[in-house]
Amino acid sequence: MSKPYSDAADIPVNASQPVLTYHPVTLDVPGRPVPLEVKVSIPANGTDLPLILLSHGHGMANFLSSYNGYGPLANFFAAHGFAVIQPTHLDSTALGLRDTDLRDAPLFWRDRATDMHTILDRLDDIEAAVPGLAERRIDRDRVGAVGHSLGGNTVSLLLGARMLDPEDDRPKDLSDSRVKAGVLIGAPGIGNDEHFAEWARTNYPVLYYTDFEHMTGTGLIIVGDQDLNPNFSNRLSYRADAYSASPGGNKTMVTMYGAGHIFGGISGYDAAETGDENPERVATLRALVWAYLRSRLYSGDPSWKNAVNALENGEDPMAMVETR
């Protein structure tokens, strides 16, 4: 049996506090086949709360790929001062829409990004629906986005990445300037090379057209040095493409040692899909994300500098940080 989850490993963070969680908040969205349901987690106290939009992955679990997943991340971020909003995207296994003839099924990559736009457009409605969140407790000027796996693709689109499918005549730019910084965890990379697997070409052909040339937004890309899935690419650097192939000057990458695609268990407590269960890795990852967003959303905040110093000066660092 693995040891219990620590709060933040050896990364300095602020004191935790009780968390209030409310769900579902249901938003009727014209043209969406089902209403958009979101889960809201907030610290019990505080005003002017910075906001994290947390996008789930496309995994095969029944409910981790919905607002019911990613408790190890959402609960931590809320306990340490963020408001966290988690949508259930249309590709969630729980909705049963993957095998329909709806446009963009099974990934619903475009709808995922527009879900995030909708949440930001309707923050007033969300606040009004959640007890204890009235009077605009959320700071509209301090918004970050975090996504794992396909959720990382969603965040990349918010930062300016594009899916350049020549047969799709819809606008390609899904970026949102309200998102001041994004975090991509194990995100899909570039597909138009000889390493892109036939399985992915057949099942998720749109990933062939992933392009990071216009991803100008500020971003943290987190990769695992064991995150290699031959169904997508036999190139280990595939998950780092959002870092290496996007415009530089505001990009940071964290490489986590020994991490597979679930990074020790970020998608859920005791999740069966976790092949590299490691609570300390989870604690380190979420503390690094917290520190990164604190420093990107608050000018002069030293959290990221302190986190990197603690990571690099530890006896057995769990990750490496680089910037470009």
Side-chain angles (χ1 to χ4, degrees):
M1 180 179 295
S2 61
K3 61 185 179 180
Y5 278 83
S6 62
D7 190 41
D10 295 322
I11 308 299
V13 299
N14 61 8
S16 64
Q17 61 172 297
V19 171
L20 303 174
T21 300
Y22 189 89
H23 62 87
V25 177
T26 301
L27 303 173
D28 289 319
V29 181
R32 200 175 192 270
V34 296
L36 172 60
E37 292 189 336
V38 305
K39 183 180 194 175
V40 181
S41 301
I42 55 174
N45 301 296
T47 58
D48 298 322
L49 301 173
L51 173 63
I52 290 176
L53 305 179
L54 179 55
S55 180
H56 63 73
H58 183 72
M60 299 305 295
N62 288 324
F63 296 105
L64 295 178
S65 57
S66 75
Y67 69 53
N68 286 304
Y70 294 85
L73 299 187
N75 295 341
F76 176 85
F77 297 146
H80 292 276
F82 281 88
V84 181
I85 299 180
Q86 298 173 255
T88 293
H89 297 300
L90 290 178
D91 69 299
S92 172
T93 316
L95 296 181
L97 298 176
R98 293 184 181 184
D99 295 328
T100 66
D101 59 0
L102 290 168
R103 191 171 189 180
D104 292 331
L107 296 182
F108 294 101
W109 59 274
R110 178 181 291 273
D111 299 274
R112 283 171 145 268
T114 56
D115 285 346
M116 301 307 216
H117 300 165
T118 297
I119 290 169
L120 294 177
D121 290 343
R122 298 182 63 178
L123 280 178
D124 287 347
D125 295 336
I126 293 171
E127 282 189 325
V130 178
L133 196 54
E135 299 178 0
R136 295 176 65 91
R137 285 185 67 196
I138 294 175
D139 188 338
R140 271 68 169 165
D141 295 324
R142 291 188 169 95
V143 178
V146 177
H148 172 236
S149 196
L150 187 60
N153 172 264
T154 301
V155 174
S156 78
L157 296 174
L158 298 177
L159 298 183
R162 300 179 184 180
M163 311 297 281
L164 299 179
D165 183 349
E167 296 184 2
D168 190 337
D169 59 359
R170 293 170 295 177
K172 300 294 192 293
D173 185 2
L174 295 171
S175 63
D176 196 316
S177 62
R178 293 171 292 185
V179 176
K180 300 302 190 292
V183 179
L184 291 64
I185 306 171
I190 293 171
N192 61 344
D193 62 20
E194 69 274 15
H195 301 283
F196 195 56
E198 186 62 33
W199 184 92
R201 292 174 187 266
T202 300
N203 291 278
Y204 305 136
V206 70
L207 294 181
Y208 178 84
Y209 301 105
T210 305
D211 182 271
F212 297 107
E213 181 179 351
H214 299 282
M215 199 181 94
T216 57
T218 300
L220 171 65
I221 293 85
I222 301 180
V223 301
D225 67 1
Q226 303 298 315
D227 187 5
L228 179 63
N229 185 339
N231 284 330
F232 290 91
S233 177
N234 60 15
R235 177 170 56 87
L236 184 58
S237 60
Y238 175 70
R239 302 288 180 182
D241 288 344
Y243 175 75
S244 60
S246 65
N250 59 355
K251 301 299 187 301
T252 302
M253 184 166 73
V254 168
T255 301
M256 303 208 71
Y257 303 135
H261 192 57
I262 310 298
F263 293 85
I266 63 172
S267 61
Y269 300 106
D270 297 324
E273 70 176 11
T274 304
D276 64 332
E277 185 175 18
N278 188 320
E280 186 178 3
R281 182 175 297 130
V282 174
T284 300
L285 181 149
R286 64 191 185 185
L288 288 171
V289 172
W290 175 90
Y292 177 83
L293 290 177
R294 284 286 311 180
S295 292
R296 293 298 172 269
L297 298 180
Y298 293 90
S299 177
D301 187 292
S303 297
W304 180 244
K305 179 180 179 181
N306 295 340
V308 173
N309 286 340
L311 182 71
E312 293 178 344
N313 294 322
E315 292 184 3
D316 188 17
M318 298 197 71
M320 175 183 69
V321 178
E322 54 189 293
T323 59
R324 62 182 293 272

mmCIF file of all heavy atoms in Angstrom, residues 180-209:
data_model
loop_
_atom_site.group_PDB
_atom_site.id
_atom_site.type_symbol
_atom_site.label_atom_id
_atom_site.label_comp_id
_atom_site.label_asym_id
_atom_site.label_seq_id
_atom_site.Cartn_x
_atom_site.Cartn_y
_atom_site.Cartn_z
ATOM 1 N N LYS A 180 -5.155 34.077 -18.593
ATOM 2 C CA LYS A 180 -3.850 34.745 -18.507
ATOM 3 C C LYS A 180 -2.679 33.763 -18.507
ATOM 4 O O LYS A 180 -1.558 34.146 -18.825
ATOM 5 C CB LYS A 180 -3.802 35.609 -17.241
ATOM 6 C CG LYS A 180 -4.870 36.709 -17.194
ATOM 7 C CD LYS A 180 -4.766 37.640 -18.403
ATOM 8 C CE LYS A 180 -5.643 38.877 -18.276
ATOM 9 N NZ LYS A 180 -7.090 38.561 -18.319
ATOM 10 N N ALA A 181 -2.928 32.516 -18.117
ATOM 11 C CA ALA A 181 -1.871 31.505 -18.120
ATOM 12 C C ALA A 181 -2.518 30.136 -18.158
ATOM 13 O O ALA A 181 -3.604 29.931 -17.609
ATOM 14 C CB ALA A 181 -0.976 31.635 -16.893
ATOM 15 N N GLY A 182 -1.847 29.199 -18.816
ATOM 16 C CA GLY A 182 -2.386 27.851 -18.927
ATOM 17 C C GLY A 182 -1.357 26.807 -18.536
ATOM 18 O O GLY A 182 -0.148 27.030 -18.652
ATOM 19 N N VAL A 183 -1.858 25.657 -18.092
ATOM 20 C CA VAL A 183 -1.001 24.534 -17.716
ATOM 21 C C VAL A 183 -1.462 23.306 -18.487
ATOM 22 O O VAL A 183 -2.630 22.894 -18.368
ATOM 23 C CB VAL A 183 -1.047 24.263 -16.201
ATOM 24 C CG1 VAL A 183 -0.149 23.073 -15.849
ATOM 25 C CG2 VAL A 183 -0.643 25.504 -15.410
ATOM 26 N N LEU A 184 -0.562 22.724 -19.282
ATOM 27 C CA LEU A 184 -0.850 21.536 -20.080
ATOM 28 C C LEU A 184 -0.124 20.356 -19.452
ATOM 29 O O LEU A 184 1.104 20.381 -19.319
ATOM 30 C CB LEU A 184 -0.367 21.713 -21.515
ATOM 31 C CG LEU A 184 -1.051 22.705 -22.450
ATOM 32 C CD1 LEU A 184 -0.909 24.154 -21.995
ATOM 33 C CD2 LEU A 184 -0.473 22.567 -23.857
ATOM 34 N N ILE A 185 -0.858 19.339 -19.049
ATOM 35 C CA ILE A 185 -0.273 18.177 -18.399
ATOM 36 C C ILE A 185 -0.440 16.961 -19.317
ATOM 37 O O ILE A 185 -1.562 16.530 -19.592
ATOM 38 C CB ILE A 185 -0.950 17.901 -17.044
ATOM 39 C CG1 ILE A 185 -0.933 19.150 -16.156
ATOM 40 C CG2 ILE A 185 -0.268 16.739 -16.334
ATOM 41 C CD1 ILE A 185 -1.772 19.016 -14.886
ATOM 42 N N GLY A 186 0.655 16.434 -19.834
ATOM 43 C CA GLY A 186 0.580 15.265 -20.710
ATOM 44 C C GLY A 186 -0.270 15.488 -21.939
ATOM 45 O O GLY A 186 -1.030 14.603 -22.348
ATOM 46 N N ALA A 187 -0.150 16.652 -22.566
ATOM 47 C CA ALA A 187 -1.013 17.011 -23.691
ATOM 48 C C ALA A 187 -0.572 16.330 -24.987
ATOM 49 O O ALA A 187 0.608 15.997 -25.158
ATOM 50 C CB ALA A 187 -1.002 18.524 -23.888
ATOM 51 N N PRO A 188 -1.507 16.110 -25.925
ATOM 52 C CA PRO A 188 -1.121 15.584 -27.243
ATOM 53 C C PRO A 188 -0.170 16.536 -27.944
ATOM 54 O O PRO A 188 -0.231 17.752 -27.760
ATOM 55 C CB PRO A 188 -2.452 15.491 -27.996
ATOM 56 C CG PRO A 188 -3.497 15.491 -26.935
ATOM 57 C CD PRO A 188 -2.951 16.319 -25.814
ATOM 58 N N GLY A 189 0.704 15.969 -28.777
ATOM 59 C CA GLY A 189 1.671 16.776 -29.501
ATOM 60 C C GLY A 189 1.353 16.869 -30.978
ATOM 61 O O GLY A 189 0.198 16.752 -31.399
ATOM 62 N N ILE A 190 2.383 17.074 -31.778
ATOM 63 C CA ILE A 190 2.251 17.224 -33.219
ATOM 64 C C ILE A 190 2.044 15.854 -33.864
ATOM 65 O O ILE A 190 2.748 14.896 -33.560
ATOM 66 C CB ILE A 190 3.494 17.909 -33.797
ATOM 67 C CG1 ILE A 190 3.576 19.363 -33.294
ATOM 68 C CG2 ILE A 190 3.493 17.873 -35.317
ATOM 69 C CD1 ILE A 190 4.873 20.061 -33.637
ATOM 70 N N GLY A 191 1.068 15.767 -34.764
ATOM 71 C CA GLY A 191 0.765 14.489 -35.378
ATOM 72 C C GLY A 191 1.274 14.324 -36.794
ATOM 73 O O GLY A 191 1.345 13.194 -37.285
ATOM 74 N N ASN A 192 1.628 15.409 -37.454
ATOM 75 C CA ASN A 192 1.969 15.294 -38.878
ATOM 76 C C ASN A 192 3.446 14.948 -39.084
ATOM 77 O O ASN A 192 4.193 15.655 -39.751
ATOM 78 C CB ASN A 192 1.598 16.572 -39.633
ATOM 79 C CG ASN A 192 2.347 17.793 -39.121
ATOM 80 O OD1 ASN A 192 2.915 17.773 -38.032
ATOM 81 N ND2 ASN A 192 2.344 18.862 -39.910
ATOM 82 N N ASP A 193 3.863 13.830 -38.508
ATOM 83 C CA ASP A 193 5.196 13.307 -38.770
ATOM 84 C C ASP A 193 5.126 11.782 -38.864
ATOM 85 O O ASP A 193 4.068 11.178 -38.646
ATOM 86 C CB ASP A 193 6.204 13.763 -37.705
ATOM 87 C CG ASP A 193 5.873 13.266 -36.299
ATOM 88 O OD1 ASP A 193 5.114 12.282 -36.153
ATOM 89 O OD2 ASP A 193 6.363 13.862 -35.325
ATOM 90 N N GLU A 194 6.250 11.171 -39.187
ATOM 91 C CA GLU A 194 6.258 9.727 -39.418
ATOM 92 C C GLU A 194 6.078 8.913 -38.142
ATOM 93 O O GLU A 194 5.873 7.694 -38.204
ATOM 94 C CB GLU A 194 7.574 9.316 -40.098
ATOM 95 C CG GLU A 194 8.811 9.443 -39.232
ATOM 96 C CD GLU A 194 9.439 10.834 -39.251
ATOM 97 O OE1 GLU A 194 8.750 11.781 -39.705
ATOM 98 O OE2 GLU A 194 10.597 10.965 -38.820
ATOM 99 N N HIS A 195 6.129 9.582 -36.997
ATOM 100 C CA HIS A 195 6.003 8.877 -35.722
ATOM 101 C C HIS A 195 4.553 8.750 -35.255
ATOM 102 O O HIS A 195 4.272 7.981 -34.337
ATOM 103 C CB HIS A 195 6.817 9.599 -34.644
ATOM 104 C CG HIS A 195 8.269 9.703 -34.957
ATOM 105 N ND1 HIS A 195 9.137 8.643 -34.809
ATOM 106 C CD2 HIS A 195 9.014 10.746 -35.434
ATOM 107 C CE1 HIS A 195 10.354 9.032 -35.164
ATOM 108 N NE2 HIS A 195 10.299 10.284 -35.550
ATOM 109 N N PHE A 196 3.657 9.506 -35.860
ATOM 110 C CA PHE A 196 2.254 9.471 -35.447
ATOM 111 C C PHE A 196 1.666 8.107 -35.805
ATOM 112 O O PHE A 196 1.753 7.651 -36.943
ATOM 113 C CB PHE A 196 1.488 10.594 -36.137
ATOM 114 C CG PHE A 196 0.136 10.883 -35.529
ATOM 115 C CD1 PHE A 196 -0.004 11.190 -34.190
ATOM 116 C CD2 PHE A 196 -1.003 10.865 -36.320
ATOM 117 C CE1 PHE A 196 -1.237 11.485 -33.644
ATOM 118 C CE2 PHE A 196 -2.252 11.158 -35.783
ATOM 119 C CZ PHE A 196 -2.363 11.459 -34.428
ATOM 120 N N ALA A 197 1.049 7.458 -34.834
ATOM 121 C CA ALA A 197 0.647 6.059 -34.982
ATOM 122 C C ALA A 197 -0.609 5.908 -35.837
ATOM 123 O O ALA A 197 -1.497 6.767 -35.839
ATOM 124 C CB ALA A 197 0.419 5.436 -33.609
ATOM 125 N N GLU A 198 -0.705 4.783 -36.521
ATOM 126 C CA GLU A 198 -1.861 4.493 -37.358
ATOM 127 C C GLU A 198 -3.133 4.410 -36.526
ATOM 128 O O GLU A 198 -4.214 4.789 -36.980
ATOM 129 C CB GLU A 198 -1.629 3.197 -38.121
ATOM 130 C CG GLU A 198 -2.720 2.884 -39.141
ATOM 131 C CD GLU A 198 -2.813 3.961 -40.218
ATOM 132 O OE1 GLU A 198 -1.778 4.560 -40.575
ATOM 133 O OE2 GLU A 198 -3.949 4.201 -40.692
ATOM 134 N N TRP A 199 -3.027 3.898 -35.300
ATOM 135 C CA TRP A 199 -4.204 3.810 -34.426
ATOM 136 C C TRP A 199 -4.797 5.193 -34.194
ATOM 137 O O TRP A 199 -6.017 5.378 -34.275
ATOM 138 C CB TRP A 199 -3.821 3.167 -33.089
ATOM 139 C CG TRP A 199 -4.993 2.946 -32.179
ATOM 140 C CD1 TRP A 199 -5.768 1.836 -32.089
ATOM 141 C CD2 TRP A 199 -5.538 3.884 -31.226
ATOM 142 N NE1 TRP A 199 -6.767 2.007 -31.149
ATOM 143 C CE2 TRP A 199 -6.644 3.255 -30.603
ATOM 144 C CE3 TRP A 199 -5.196 5.183 -30.840
ATOM 145 C CZ2 TRP A 199 -7.410 3.893 -29.614
ATOM 146 C CZ3 TRP A 199 -5.952 5.823 -29.872
ATOM 147 C CH2 TRP A 199 -7.043 5.165 -29.270
ATOM 148 N N ALA A 200 -3.968 6.164 -33.904
ATOM 149 C CA ALA A 200 -4.455 7.519 -33.672
ATOM 150 C C ALA A 200 -4.995 8.137 -34.960
ATOM 151 O O ALA A 200 -6.008 8.842 -34.953
ATOM 152 C CB ALA A 200 -3.353 8.390 -33.083
ATOM 153 N N ARG A 201 -4.332 7.879 -36.075
ATOM 154 C CA ARG A 201 -4.818 8.397 -37.361
ATOM 155 C C ARG A 201 -6.231 7.894 -37.647
ATOM 156 O O ARG A 201 -7.065 8.616 -38.192
ATOM 157 C CB ARG A 201 -3.897 7.965 -38.502
ATOM 158 C CG ARG A 201 -2.522 8.586 -38.495
ATOM 159 C CD ARG A 201 -1.662 7.961 -39.583
ATOM 160 N NE ARG A 201 -0.282 8.409 -39.527
ATOM 161 C CZ ARG A 201 0.201 9.430 -40.220
ATOM 162 N NH1 ARG A 201 -0.592 10.101 -41.042
ATOM 163 N NH2 ARG A 201 1.471 9.771 -40.128
ATOM 164 N N THR A 202 -6.498 6.646 -37.276
ATOM 165 C CA THR A 202 -7.794 6.037 -37.552
ATOM 166 C C THR A 202 -8.856 6.501 -36.565
ATOM 167 O O THR A 202 -9.989 6.820 -36.959
ATOM 168 C CB THR A 202 -7.682 4.504 -37.497
ATOM 169 O OG1 THR A 202 -6.728 4.070 -38.477
ATOM 170 C CG2 THR A 202 -9.028 3.847 -37.750
ATOM 171 N N ASN A 203 -8.523 6.534 -35.291
ATOM 172 C CA ASN A 203 -9.516 6.803 -34.257
ATOM 173 C C ASN A 203 -9.668 8.285 -33.922
ATOM 174 O O ASN A 203 -10.774 8.729 -33.625
ATOM 175 C CB ASN A 203 -9.154 6.023 -32.989
ATOM 176 C CG ASN A 203 -9.337 4.535 -33.163
ATOM 177 O OD1 ASN A 203 -10.441 4.015 -33.042
ATOM 178 N ND2 ASN A 203 -8.243 3.843 -33.465
ATOM 179 N N TYR A 204 -8.592 9.040 -33.973
ATOM 180 C CA TYR A 204 -8.623 10.469 -33.635
ATOM 181 C C TYR A 204 -7.895 11.269 -34.710
ATOM 182 O O TYR A 204 -6.878 11.912 -34.452
ATOM 183 C CB TYR A 204 -7.966 10.718 -32.272
ATOM 184 C CG TYR A 204 -8.538 9.916 -31.129
ATOM 185 C CD1 TYR A 204 -7.712 9.298 -30.207
ATOM 186 C CD2 TYR A 204 -9.921 9.791 -30.958
ATOM 187 C CE1 TYR A 204 -8.238 8.568 -29.152
ATOM 188 C CE2 TYR A 204 -10.447 9.064 -29.908
ATOM 189 C CZ TYR A 204 -9.604 8.450 -29.007
ATOM 190 O OH TYR A 204 -10.121 7.727 -27.966
ATOM 191 N N PRO A 205 -8.392 11.249 -35.946
ATOM 192 C CA PRO A 205 -7.644 11.844 -37.050
ATOM 193 C C PRO A 205 -7.369 13.331 -36.897
ATOM 194 O O PRO A 205 -6.378 13.832 -37.430
ATOM 195 C CB PRO A 205 -8.536 11.559 -38.265
ATOM 196 C CG PRO A 205 -9.901 11.299 -37.708
ATOM 197 C CD PRO A 205 -9.665 10.648 -36.384
ATOM 198 N N VAL A 206 -8.208 14.052 -36.156
ATOM 199 C CA VAL A 206 -7.986 15.486 -36.032
ATOM 200 C C VAL A 206 -6.669 15.790 -35.340
ATOM 201 O O VAL A 206 -6.068 16.860 -35.557
ATOM 202 C CB VAL A 206 -9.167 16.152 -35.278
ATOM 203 C CG1 VAL A 206 -9.174 15.763 -33.806
ATOM 204 C CG2 VAL A 206 -9.138 17.672 -35.436
ATOM 205 N N LEU A 207 -6.171 14.874 -34.504
ATOM 206 C CA LEU A 207 -4.907 15.122 -33.818
ATOM 207 C C LEU A 207 -3.729 15.218 -34.781
ATOM 208 O O LEU A 207 -2.665 15.751 -34.423
ATOM 209 C CB LEU A 207 -4.645 14.028 -32.775
ATOM 210 C CG LEU A 207 -5.614 13.978 -31.586
ATOM 211 C CD1 LEU A 207 -5.210 12.861 -30.629
ATOM 212 C CD2 LEU A 207 -5.665 15.314 -30.851
ATOM 213 N N TYR A 208 -3.917 14.711 -35.989
ATOM 214 C CA TYR A 208 -2.879 14.852 -37.011
ATOM 215 C C TYR A 208 -2.613 16.325 -37.315
ATOM 216 O O TYR A 208 -1.515 16.704 -37.717
ATOM 217 C CB TYR A 208 -3.304 14.121 -38.283
ATOM 218 C CG TYR A 208 -2.335 14.237 -39.430
ATOM 219 C CD1 TYR A 208 -1.239 13.387 -39.530
ATOM 220 C CD2 TYR A 208 -2.518 15.196 -40.434
ATOM 221 C CE1 TYR A 208 -0.336 13.491 -40.588
ATOM 222 C CE2 TYR A 208 -1.635 15.306 -41.485
ATOM 223 C CZ TYR A 208 -0.546 14.462 -41.560
ATOM 224 O OH TYR A 208 0.340 14.577 -42.609
ATOM 225 N N TYR A 209 -3.621 17.169 -37.101
ATOM 226 C CA TYR A 209 -3.548 18.561 -37.521
ATOM 227 C C TYR A 209 -3.219 19.527 -36.382
ATOM 228 O O TYR A 209 -3.369 20.737 -36.522
ATOM 229 C CB TYR A 209 -4.882 18.973 -38.164
ATOM 230 C CG TYR A 209 -5.232 18.133 -39.363
ATOM 231 C CD1 TYR A 209 -6.215 17.154 -39.282
ATOM 232 C CD2 TYR A 209 -4.556 18.292 -40.563
ATOM 233 C CE1 TYR A 209 -6.540 16.369 -40.374
ATOM 234 C CE2 TYR A 209 -4.859 17.507 -41.667
ATOM 235 C CZ TYR A 209 -5.853 16.549 -41.565
ATOM 236 O OH TYR A 209 -6.150 15.774 -42.654
#
